[in-house]
């Protein structure tokens, strides 16, 4: 059983980095539009606070979490936006403090979780490490949206290794949510990390392969960039199809981002 502490530590570091980006923003900056239609910087942080709270309930109060899921099922197409909208209406100081308190509580709950525990989620149940990885993925991805709105370039770190692993593990899930049969054979994934290391997955002799940078792979599986804008190479028809549908997050297929040139063909 893998020790979840490293990914919990990286989740904390990723959250702190985003906190440093927004901590001193003025009201006009909190109201800036992000790449997500209709979402401002405040919506992005409110969404993270909302999902951190959901994760905390999943770890500490299963009955309350199931009640939250039942409520979400009454409005499956809008509950995420509604949660972000409700949080974004709060005064900035209240939103920021609530996000900080919620993620600190989740950090403590994950560290205190018994070994081997599994928690319910909107998709399959998650281990402690998987829950922390999912929260890191969302924090990183929504942090990119915030940085984009502020005109800031955030240098990637090797913390994205957790997102890479999640993206690789969710290959079959991405096919299933598109009503496609997952490939029978494993793929070979070869990526270069931000620090220059080589991160590899799958058998060396696999027919289908994906190569490129870890950053571009993470941008793809979190749907923060269109495939045509990324330097990822697929070898084999199955790998090529996967790069068109990849997603590492739970829920229905995401719409993704349009190419920078605006061509959706």
């Amino acid at each position: 059983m893998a020790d979840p502490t490293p990914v919990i530590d990286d989740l904390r570091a990723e959250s702190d980095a985003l906190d440093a980006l927004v901590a001193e923003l003025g009201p006009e900056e909190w109201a800036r539009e992000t790449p997500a239609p209709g979402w401002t910087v405040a919506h992005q942080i409110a969404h993270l606070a909302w999902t951190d709270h959901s994760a905390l309930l999943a770890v500490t109060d299963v009955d309350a979490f199931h009640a939250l899921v039942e409520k979400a099922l009454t409005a499956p197409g809008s509950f995420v936006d509604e949660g972000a909208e409700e949080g974004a209406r709060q005064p900035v100081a209240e939103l920021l403090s609530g996000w900080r308190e919620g993620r600190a509580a989740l950090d403590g709950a994950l560290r205190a979780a018994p070994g081997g525990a599994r928690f319910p989620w909107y998709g399959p149940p998650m281990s402690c490490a998987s829950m922390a990885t999912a929260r890191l993925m969302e924090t990183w991805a929504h942090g990119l949206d915030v940085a984009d709105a502020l005109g800031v370039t955030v240098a990637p770190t090797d913390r994205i290794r957790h997102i890479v692993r999640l993206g690789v593990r969710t290959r079959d899930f991405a096919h299933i949510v598109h009503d496609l049969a997952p490939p029978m054979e494993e793929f070979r994934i070869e990526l270069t990390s931000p620090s220059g290391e080589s991160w590899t997955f799958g058998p060396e002799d696999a027919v289908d392969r994906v190569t490129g940078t870890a950053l571009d792979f993470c941008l793809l599986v979190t749907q923060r960039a269109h495939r045509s804008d990324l330097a990822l190479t697929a070898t084999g028809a199955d790998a090529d199809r996967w790069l068109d549908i990849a997603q590492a997050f739970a829920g229905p297929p995401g719409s993704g981002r349009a190419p920078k040139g605006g061509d959706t063909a």
Side-chain angles (χ1 to χ4, degrees), residues 57-58 60-70 120:
L57 291 181
T60 63
D61 191 339
V62 173
D63 290 341
F65 176 76
H66 285 315
L68 187 65
V69 172
E70 290 179 6

Side-chain angles (χ1 to χ4, degrees), residues 186-190 200-206 208-211:
E186 288 188 68
F187 294 169
R188 176 69 171 180
I189 315 297
E190 300 178 349
T200 61
F201 305 83
E204 292 185 16
D205 61 351
D208 285 80
R209 314 172 75 85
V210 172
T211 60

Side-chain angles (χ1 to χ4, degrees), residues 21-261:
L21 191 61
V22 302
E24 303 300 326
L25 297 181
E28 292 184 358
E29 292 165 310
W30 279 92
R32 285 190 185 179
E33 294 291 329
T34 69
W39 279 28
T40 64
V41 170
H43 285 83
Q44 297 284 351
I45 299 302
H47 173 69
L48 290 175
W50 186 89
T51 46
D52 282 346
H53 176 67
S54 295
L56 180 63
L57 291 181
V59 174
T60 63
D61 191 339
V62 173
D63 290 341
F65 176 76
H66 285 315
L68 187 65
V69 172
E70 290 179 6
K71 181 179 179 182
L73 289 175
T74 64
S78 62
F79 78 97
V80 170
D81 284 334
E82 289 170 358
E85 182 63 36
E86 181 179 355
R89 288 197 296 266
Q90 297 178 88
V92 167
E94 184 177 330
L95 171 58
L96 192 55
S97 64
W99 175 48
R100 288 168 173 167
E101 291 168 7
R103 70 180 202 251
L106 177 60
D107 180 273
L110 290 172
R111 293 179 191 279
R118 296 189 70 81
F119 312 115
W121 197 237
Y122 297 97
M126 289 189 175
S127 67
C128 184
S130 293
M131 181 67 80
T133 298
R135 298 309 312 128
L136 189 153
M137 173 193 66
E138 275 223 277
T139 301
W140 180 80
H142 290 285
L144 290 180
D145 293 343
V146 170
D148 187 277
L150 299 175
V152 174
T153 299
V154 178
T157 73
D158 279 5
R159 292 192 294 267
I160 65 173
R161 67 186 181 276
H162 306 292
I163 305 171
V164 169
R165 292 193 188 103
L166 183 60
V168 172
R169 292 202 307 268
T170 53
R171 184 201 70 170
D172 290 359
F173 167 78
H175 286 77
I176 291 168
V177 297
H178 282 86
D179 296 321
L180 298 170
M184 296 294 293
E185 304 296 331
E186 288 188 68
F187 294 169
R188 176 69 171 180
I189 315 297
E190 300 178 349
L191 304 171
T192 303
S193 77
S195 66
E197 295 180 8
S198 178
W199 292 344
T200 61
F201 305 83
E204 292 185 16
D205 61 351
V207 173
D208 285 80
R209 314 172 75 85
V210 172
T211 60
T213 69
L215 174 60
D216 279 4
F217 183 78
C218 290
L219 291 170
L220 182 83
V221 300
T222 59
Q223 297 189 356
R224 259 42 191 189
H226 192 274
R227 178 184 175 182
S228 65
D229 295 321
L230 301 172
L232 293 172
T233 300
T235 301
D238 285 341
D240 186 68
R241 180 175 69 172
W242 178 42
L243 294 192
D244 285 335
I245 62 173
Q247 71 175 63
F249 49 88
S255 58
R257 299 282 164 82
K260 289 182 178 179

